[in-house]
Amino acid sequence: MNAYDAVIVGAGVLGAATALELAEAGLSVLVLERGAPNREGSGTTAGNLHIQAVHTRRPGQAVPLDSEALLPAQKAADGLWALAEERLDADLEVRRNGGFMVAETAEQRRELRTKHVWERRAGLRTELLDGDAARDALPLLGPTVTAATWCPHDGYANPLKAAPAYLAAARRLGARVEAFTPVTGLERRGPAWRVRTPRGRHDTPVVVNTAGPWISDVSALAGVDMRMSPVAIQMHVTVRERPVLHHLVQHIGEGMSVKQVTAGNLLLGGGWPARRMDLDGRSSAGVAGLTGNVAQAVRILPFLARLRLLRMWAGPLAATPDEMPVIGPVPGREGLYVAGGTYAFTFAPLWGETLARMIRGERPRIDVSAFAPDRLTAPAGDADPAAPAHTEKGTAPC
Ligand SMILES: Cc1cc2nc3c(=O)[nH]c(=O)nc-3n(C[C@H](O)[C@H](O)[C@H](O)COP(=O)(O)OP(=O)(O)OC[C@H]3O[C@@H](n4cnc5c(N)ncnc54)[C@H](O)[C@@H]3O)c2cc1C
């Protein structure tokens, strides 16, 4: 048996960023990952750094998220991504070249105007453009675009590099990462948690649950019923093209994101539901998501029509029932913390720092009380440790 100051469950980008923050603060840290690190949401993500207000619904999403409430976190995350490569001493292919969010209908134009007001209120510099001005700025935009907001901070980081670089930096500071080691038990023993795995057990005062779509399952090990509603969404990628698109392009009404990555491929996404979500195995991408996403992307950026599609894939997303992030101490379970939920790639540096500050009794950079886990948990003590996790599986309508 080993003792650590903190044990982190899950080696996606959130677990990795938290490990670095805690190791940097001098804590002894163990990261336990049931599979290969960065294989799930963090390795299959689109990797967009969403700094302007996000669209409120993925295609098929039942509950809209409160995009105004996310803006302070997006602004803070932007500042941290600006420093990430230098801090991690790694090339993450961070591109903060800005992005457009486009509208086509009158209702979408109204939504753009509203979100532009929110952004100004939050101190984020965005510009509202009519269709012609948007096409002057980005001639690749098609004729159906009637307005756009421009945000100079939107961007992208390579998801295959981000979490591994955080883990490497944490390791350099002494953190230990055990892959293929699932956490199978969480038991409170006096002032400590006993963390069980098939390969041994560890005692620690602090457990951080960054298990993504499996947050409910890990919470249940500690006797906590945490309501999550994971979904699987899919991505599409074209063959490589000479550099043509230097900005992120999104759609306010229809959940669409398009960008060109460093290797030259065009990445199409925006939250289209996968054909099948399978949290026990592999989710699979389907034709309905593909045709829906490609049709809208070609309408907004007609040049895409001449590019061949290379591949598509599905990845799991740790959505909450209200579609907002979750971060903070779990009520009634001293020393147990959780973080996850929407846009966790964008928020990773911020949520890592926030968790570390909370664990050390310091004030987070921004107020995250609206994202506290208590809104998703049964009252402390009510949960039956033996009961199955309350996971409302999201629908995958394709
Ligand atoms: C297709 C797609 C596109 C997306 N696009 C964007 C985007 O453009 N921008 C953005 O900001 N966000 C985006 N997201 C969301 C974002 O990528 C994810 O929310 C984020 O990467 C999740 O990180 P995480 O570390 O919380 O979870 P994950 O990366 O899912 O990691 C959780 C880890 O916990 C491990 N685990 C689970 N149970 C256990 C256990 N019992 N013991 C040990 N380990 C365990 C899992 O194996 C997994 O590796 C997208 C997501 C997807 C799927």
Side-chain angles (χ1 to χ4, degrees):
M1 185 172 58
N2 298 304
Y4 291 89
D5 294 329
V7 171
I8 295 172
V9 188
V13 69
L14 284 191
T18 309
L20 174 61
E21 295 285 348
L22 290 174
E24 215 167 58
L27 275 66
S28 60
V29 177
L30 172 66
V31 183
L32 294 169
E33 166 54 54
R34 62 170 200 162
N38 204 37
R39 187 179 67 175
E40 303 292 351
S42 303
T44 55
T45 178
N48 301 327
L49 306 178
H50 290 288
I51 309 306
Q52 66 177 299
V54 288
H55 55 75
T56 57
R57 287 179 200 263
R58 298 180 300 276
Q61 179 182 323
V63 180
L65 62 71
D66 179 353
S67 68
E68 184 181 11
L70 291 179
L71 282 168
Q74 288 167 276
K75 195 167 172 241
D78 178 44
L80 294 171
W81 275 108
L83 306 171
E85 291 185 310
E86 194 182 330
R87 180 176 180 209
L88 300 178
D89 193 20
D91 176 8
L92 310 180
E93 295 174 26
V94 174
R95 303 282 176 269
R96 295 167 64 250
N97 294 343
F100 295 88
M101 184 168 289
V102 305
E104 294 175 281
T105 66
E107 192 191 331
Q108 291 163 4
R109 283 196 296 279
R110 267 194 303 279
E111 283 181 45
L112 271 191
R113 280 196 294 273
T114 305
K115 104 175 180 50
H116 182 57
V117 172
W118 295 340
E119 286 156 352
R120 292 221 328 238
R121 229 166 22 215
L124 256 178
R125 200 156 56 86
T126 56
E127 267 176 64
L128 189 57
L129 309 169
D130 65 20
D132 288 338
R135 266 179 298 278
D136 282 348
L138 182 62
L140 296 171
L141 289 174
T144 62
V145 172
T146 55
T149 45
W150 157 253
C151 170
H153 302 283
D154 280 351
Y156 164 80
N158 187 337
L160 299 179
K161 295 188 169 180
Y166 271 107
L167 286 175
R171 276 201 196 93
R172 289 197 292 273
L173 294 171
R176 190 176 157 76
V177 182
E178 284 187 20
F180 301 101
T181 309
V183 170
T184 52
L186 285 175
E187 223 175 281
R188 188 79 192 167
R189 299 216 158 188
W193 287 97
R194 178 153 294 177
V195 182
R196 293 185 189 278
T197 79
R199 295 164 65 178
R201 52 194 195 186
H202 312 279
D203 281 351
T204 178
V206 171
V207 174
V208 180
N209 178 356
T210 46
W214 299 270
I215 280 176
S216 296
D217 299 341
V218 172
S219 301
L221 297 175
V224 176
D225 184 5
M226 174 120 10
R227 287 179 300 124
M228 300 290 288
S229 38
V231 289
I233 59 177
Q234 65 185 58
M235 296 293 306
H236 313 102
V237 59
T238 72
V239 292
R240 295 167 74 177
E241 172 66 335
R242 68 189 167 80
V244 282
L245 180 62
H246 306 291
H247 311 294
L248 176 65
V249 179
Q250 300 177 78
H251 195 298
I252 184 131
E254 294 191 15
M256 179 204 88
S257 79
V258 180
K259 69 201 162 270
Q260 185 167 23
V261 300
T262 311
N265 312 77
L266 276 293
L267 232 66
L268 279 50
W272 284 80
R275 184 176 65 84
R276 195 167 71 96
M277 178 175 74
D278 177 6
L279 290 182
D280 299 323
R282 301 265 68 83
S283 301
S284 48
V287 173
L290 165 70
T291 50
N293 195 192
V294 168
Q296 71 178 172
V298 166
R299 202 175 67 237
I300 302 302
L301 293 163
F303 82 97
L304 290 171
R306 65 181 167 76
L307 298 183
R308 270 182 302 126
L309 203 70
L310 180 64
R311 59 176 180 267
M312 60 184 190
W313 66 86
L317 186 68
T320 54
D322 60 10
E323 297 289 343
M324 297 300 278
V326 56
I327 182 160
V330 176
R333 299 292 185 272
E334 201 188 331
L336 179 60
Y337 294 79
V338 65
T342 196
Y343 295 108
F345 188 79
T346 299
F347 294 135
L350 178 67
W351 290 165
E353 180 197 82
T354 301
L355 283 170
R357 288 190 181 185
M358 286 174 162
I359 288 164
R360 302 172 67 217
E362 296 168 3
R363 239 164 85 118
R365 181 184 292 260
I366 62 160
D367 178 11
V368 290
S369 52
F371 310 141
D374 53 359
R375 75 189 197 281
L376 306 177
T377 57
D382 283 7
D384 171 3
H390 182 158
T391 300
E392 294 165 9
K393 297 226 157 71
T395 50
C398 295

